[in-house]
Amino acid sequence: MRIFHKKIREILIRPILQVYLKKDRYYTYNDIKVLVKKGVFHPAFFYSTKFILRSTKHLELNNKTVLELGAGSGLISLCFAKRKAIVTAVDINPSSVEGIQKSAHHNNVQVNAFYSDLFNDIPKQTFDYIIINPPYYRGDAVNIEQYAWYAGKNLDYFKKLFSSLKEYIHENSVVWMSLSEDCEINKIKDIADGYRFLMKIYKQEKIQGEENYIFEIKRL
């Protein structure tokens, strides 16, 4: 029944949403105003960004180093920077990076935003927090915008993620990743295990009938 209702919502809403997202838009969350470039994952219409923000509002972030992988609109990075974190935000979509840079200037916060395919272009260092809001549908992206959704036909995104993650964490680092029940969670856990990482549920929330999770990732 949940799947039926979701398909009905997608049939009714997706055409409208696709037209709306063909233009650059501004979105305000609390006191943060972000520029969402066309084709970039929009935090107003998808659950994961705000779920992460709600789940991390208790953190003491002053002078903590934070990496947001696949930052999209950069809303999480901007909110963390507002709370005095030292923030790095990367994305594979250059439009995303441009939007984050402009939003950081507009909100008078410091965010080091630049292009990177996962860790490829991030200088070797460790972070106190790493936030990952990944693509998780099986399939190959056919354009830059689809990299926000598709993780490769063999979930290659997660293989690449877990193969490099250990080089960017220290013994007290906290790594959180957002997933929903729609993705192949057990397969992703198997990939993590193959690289000696354990995924454990940190937060779980049902939003419009769909279970959403934040997993904490620990080295084995």
Side-chain angles (χ1 to χ4, degrees), residues 152-191:
K153 63 182 179 181
N154 296 310
L155 300 178
D156 307 286
Y157 172 96
F158 295 99
K159 297 174 184 178
K160 189 171 183 178
L161 168 71
F162 289 115
S163 69
S164 299
L165 180 58
K166 62 181 180 296
E167 299 179 36
Y168 291 86
I169 57 176
H170 53 71
E171 63 178 10
N172 295 315
S173 295
V174 177
V175 183
W176 282 316
M177 182 165 64
S178 172
L179 296 172
S180 88
E181 65 177 305
D182 281 346
C183 69
E184 299 176 61
I185 290 176
N186 287 335
K187 179 61 178 176
I188 295 168
K189 284 183 174 180
D190 287 343
I191 294 171

Side-chain angles (χ1 to χ4, degrees), residues 91-107:
D91 202 282
I92 197 172
N93 188 340
S95 291
S96 168
V97 174
E98 180 187 353
I100 296 168
Q101 291 170 340
K102 290 182 177 180
S103 295
H105 177 75
H106 176 81
N107 290 279

Side-chain angles (χ1 to χ4, degrees), residues 39 41-42 46 134-139 141 145-152:
F41 191 92
H42 198 300
F46 306 100
Y136 49 63
Y137 293 117
R138 189 183 288 270
E145 296 170 1
Q146 288 190 1
Y147 279 103
W149 301 97
Y150 293 103

